[in-house]
Amino acid sequence: MESNRHGKKRLLVVDDELIIRILLAEVLAEAGYLVELSGDGYHALKMLQNDAHYDVSLLDVKMPKIDGITLCRKIREDSPVLKQRFLFLIGNVDDEILSFLQENNYPYLPKPCRAVLHSCRSCPYLRKTPESALWRSPWSGN
């Protein structure tokens, strides 16, 4: 991950639940990240198409308009360089979601809020570490 001119990593949090967005923004900003928010996949798609300089995009899997997986697929088509810059927020997991995450080696954080907050504080993907340690997935064996 590259730092911006302020030396901070830039994150995009996309979730249709306002409380999740606010809590994640507070926790991540306190940890030293620049955080931008979007309440739906359509708005996030426009943000990513206009400015693809986010170090990580945290995407809720289930959202109205455009869900997180569809958003990820669209962004990967437009900007393949962003393929490994996604971290998913998941509540209820079905086989299709789990299969997508495993096939693409994508990390995820569990919801609800309490679990998300705890995971944000301890998640290795969000620690300020070298890039080689940032993109490890639960399925990579690293």
Side-chain angles (χ1 to χ4, degrees):
M1 279 192 333
E2 296 178 15
S3 297
N4 62 22
R5 61 187 166 104
H6 301 289
K8 294 183 178 185
K9 308 299 183 214
R10 190 168 168 218
L11 308 180
L12 175 62
V13 174
V14 185
D15 198 300
D16 58 319
E17 295 180 61
L18 179 60
I19 189 69
I20 297 288
R21 289 193 312 270
I22 291 170
L23 290 172
L24 280 172
E26 288 179 5
V27 169
L28 294 169
E30 184 179 302
Y33 298 98
L34 292 176
V35 182
E36 294 185 35
L37 305 174
S38 177
D40 64 69
Y42 179 79
H43 180 249
L45 179 61
K46 296 300 179 196
M47 292 172 73
L48 285 160
Q49 288 173 334
N50 292 331
D51 186 4
H53 297 354
Y54 294 101
D55 294 296
V56 178
S57 295
L58 287 83
L59 308 178
D60 183 16
V61 173
K62 295 185 179 180
M63 294 183 290
K65 297 183 184 177
I66 299 176
D67 64 75
I69 290 174
T70 302
L71 175 61
C72 176
R73 287 180 174 140
K74 287 180 186 258
I75 293 300
R76 287 187 333 194
E77 288 173 13
D78 295 342
S79 302
V81 70
L82 299 178
K83 182 179 183 193
Q84 291 303 319
R85 294 188 180 208
F86 296 101
L87 179 62
F88 287 87
L89 305 170
I90 59 171
N92 298 323
V93 181
D94 60 34
D95 289 340
E96 183 180 342
I97 293 168
L98 189 58
S99 176
F100 174 81
L101 295 172
Q102 288 177 334
E103 287 170 12
N104 292 283
N105 208 27
Y106 282 126
Y108 64 88
L109 297 174
K111 288 168 77 173
C113 301
R114 201 170 315 146
V116 170
L117 290 173
H118 174 72
S119 295
C120 284
R121 289 187 182 112
S122 61
C123 180
Y125 312 111
L126 296 177
R127 287 190 196 137
K128 297 176 185 175
T129 59
E131 185 168 335
S132 61
L134 181 65
W135 297 112
R136 289 188 192 139
S137 166
W139 300 289
S140 69
N142 293 334

